[in-house]
Amino acid sequence: MKDLLNRTSIGVKLWLAPGITVVMLLLVAALGLLSMQRQQSVVSNLVEVRNPNLMVAIAVEQHIKRIHAQSYQLLAWGTASYSAEQVQRLATEIDASLNPAIELARAMDKLPGLSAEEASAIQRLQVAVQAFTKDIRQVLEMADTDQSVATTMMIKSEATFTRLNAELDAIRLAQTQSMNEASVAATTAFRQVAGVSAAVVTGCLVLAGLITWLVRQSIIRSVQRIRDSASRLKDRDLSPQPPVQGSDEIALTARALVDTVETCLLYTSRCV
């Protein structure tokens, strides 16, 4: 580094420290931009993938729970003072909502960014939805003929409904875990970028300080040689002097002055 600075012009030396500072700022800006892009990617994943997936799971859950509640309501209406028309209308509504429940569950296969846990839970959920809707259809068929049998069948369907809810809980747990992992990845990426930025800033500051000190020493040495040469000329000192190091403007001036002083002193001594 010292030899390189000795061969460097004064103009270049004076630009080294500011230049390193500019490079440092550009590196920090680039790292900040990288961090922002990583953060934006995580936020986009949460907004465009995770949240919509969670909303689909919630829609399936609400649809299934509505069917479950309406089925019990149907059985209650059959033993209360509701008209046959009202009971039939509710039964038709329940029957019409069974296939959409199956389709909603099937559509979850097409959700983007599914983890292995989510995909497995969705497959189990689809099987549970199929079994639940089958039980409800049997309840609807028996509701017109035998209320007691239909009620018994509805109670037995609770096991299927419980398993279905367990699968929905598993999906929500897997989705929450994926969201947490994305959040942890974002935090880790931010810390890594912050650490690298701090290291780059520290390194650039140390390098800028070192180069500034070396440039200062190089200039001071050359100026000192000029001063020494002037003193020799004044004192008529003919002792040998070490060669001037460096090739910048000041060093060349110092070398030229040293040569001039030595020539003048030599000529003067001969004349004396």
Side-chain angles (χ1 to χ4, degrees), residues 215-258:
V215 168
R216 177 181 178 276
Q217 292 299 109
S218 174
I219 294 175
I220 288 177
R221 281 195 301 268
S222 298
V223 172
Q224 184 65 41
R225 292 306 302 275
I226 294 176
R227 184 184 303 169
D228 293 342
S229 297
S231 298
R232 288 181 62 209
L233 181 60
K234 178 181 178 181
D235 298 337
R236 297 176 179 272
D237 183 5
L238 297 178
S239 62
Q241 298 293 321
V244 178
Q245 300 295 327
S247 58
D248 58 29
E249 292 84 351
I250 297 179
L252 292 176
T253 302
R255 188 178 296 113
L257 183 58
V258 169

Side-chain angles (χ1 to χ4, degrees), residues 143-221:
D144 289 337
T145 57
D146 193 329
Q147 282 285 329
S148 62
V149 175
T151 302
T152 301
M153 295 177 65
M154 187 66 199
I155 294 174
K156 290 182 179 180
S157 71
E158 283 297 318
T160 306
F161 180 71
T162 300
R163 182 161 59 91
L164 194 155
N165 282 324
E167 300 305 338
L168 285 169
D169 290 339
I171 292 174
R172 280 197 300 270
L173 180 61
Q175 290 175 335
T176 301
Q177 182 177 358
S178 297
M179 294 179 71
N180 290 338
E181 290 175 353
S183 178
V184 170
T187 303
T188 302
F190 175 78
R191 289 177 178 175
Q192 289 175 346
V193 172
V196 172
S197 299
V200 170
V201 170
T202 302
C204 289
L205 288 175
V206 171
L207 183 59
L210 176 62
I211 290 179
T212 301
W213 182 81
L214 291 175
V215 168
R216 177 181 178 276
Q217 292 299 109
S218 174
I219 294 175
I220 288 177
R221 281 195 301 268

Side-chain angles (χ1 to χ4, degrees), residues 68-85:
H68 181 260
Q70 287 179 334
S71 299
Y72 273 108
Q73 184 179 8
L74 177 68
L75 296 176
W77 282 12
T79 57
S81 58
Y82 286 88
S83 64
E85 182 181 356

Side-chain angles (χ1 to χ4, degrees), residues 6-270:
N6 287 334
R7 295 192 300 269
T8 304
S9 67
I10 294 296
V12 174
K13 288 179 181 178
L14 294 177
W15 277 106
L16 280 177
I20 291 177
T21 302
V22 171
V23 171
M24 174 188 70
L25 294 176
L26 291 176
L27 287 174
V28 172
L31 290 171
L33 180 61
L34 176 62
S35 176
M36 290 177 60
Q37 290 177 342
R38 293 286 299 274
Q39 294 290 332
Q40 184 178 5
S41 175
V42 173
V43 171
S44 297
N45 180 56
L46 292 175
V47 173
E48 299 175 5
V49 177
R50 294 299 162 196
N51 284 345
N53 287 5
L54 183 59
M55 294 305 295
V56 171
I58 291 174
V60 172
E61 181 179 17
Q62 291 176 343
H63 197 84
I64 293 298
K65 287 184 175 180
R66 184 169 59 251
I67 293 174
H68 181 260
Q70 287 179 334
S71 299
Y72 273 108
Q73 184 179 8
L74 177 68
L75 296 176
W77 282 12
T79 57
S81 58
Y82 286 88
S83 64
E85 182 181 356
Q86 290 176 309
V87 173
Q88 184 59 41
R89 189 184 302 116
L90 180 58
T92 301
E93 182 180 349
I94 295 172
D95 185 64
S97 63
L98 295 178
N99 284 333
I102 297 173
E103 294 302 323
L104 277 174
R106 287 176 178 173
M108 295 182 74
D109 274 337
K110 301 177 182 179
L111 294 176
L114 292 176
S115 64
E117 293 79 4
E118 289 176 288
S120 177
I122 286 173
Q123 291 179 354
R124 296 193 302 269
L125 174 67
Q126 291 169 347
V127 174
V129 170
Q130 290 277 3
F132 177 73
T133 54
K134 180 180 178 181
D135 290 345
I136 297 300
R137 283 196 174 94
Q138 293 176 350
V139 171
L140 294 177
E141 291 173 359
M142 294 301 300
D144 289 337
T145 57
D146 193 329
Q147 282 285 329
S148 62
V149 175
T151 302
T152 301
M153 295 177 65
M154 187 66 199
I155 294 174
K156 290 182 179 180
S157 71
E158 283 297 318
T160 306
F161 180 71
T162 300
R163 182 161 59 91
L164 194 155
N165 282 324
E167 300 305 338
L168 285 169
D169 290 339
I171 292 174
R172 280 197 300 270
L173 180 61
Q175 290 175 335
T176 301
Q177 182 177 358
S178 297
M179 294 179 71
N180 290 338
E181 290 175 353
S183 178
V184 170
T187 303
T188 302
F190 175 78
R191 289 177 178 175
Q192 289 175 346
V193 172
V196 172
S197 299
V200 170
V201 170
T202 302
C204 289
L205 288 175
V206 171
L207 183 59
L210 176 62
I211 290 179
T212 301
W213 182 81
L214 291 175
V215 168
R216 177 181 178 276
Q217 292 299 109
S218 174
I219 294 175
I220 288 177
R221 281 195 301 268
S222 298
V223 172
Q224 184 65 41
R225 292 306 302 275
I226 294 176
R227 184 184 303 169
D228 293 342
S229 297
S231 298
R232 288 181 62 209
L233 181 60
K234 178 181 178 181
D235 298 337
R236 297 176 179 272
D237 183 5
L238 297 178
S239 62
Q241 298 293 321
V244 178
Q245 300 295 327
S247 58
D248 58 29
E249 292 84 351
I250 297 179
L252 292 176
T253 302
R255 188 178 296 113
L257 183 58
V258 169
D259 293 341
T260 302
V261 170
E262 290 177 349
T263 302
C264 290
L265 292 176
L266 180 61
Y267 178 77
T268 302
S269 64
R270 288 177 178 177

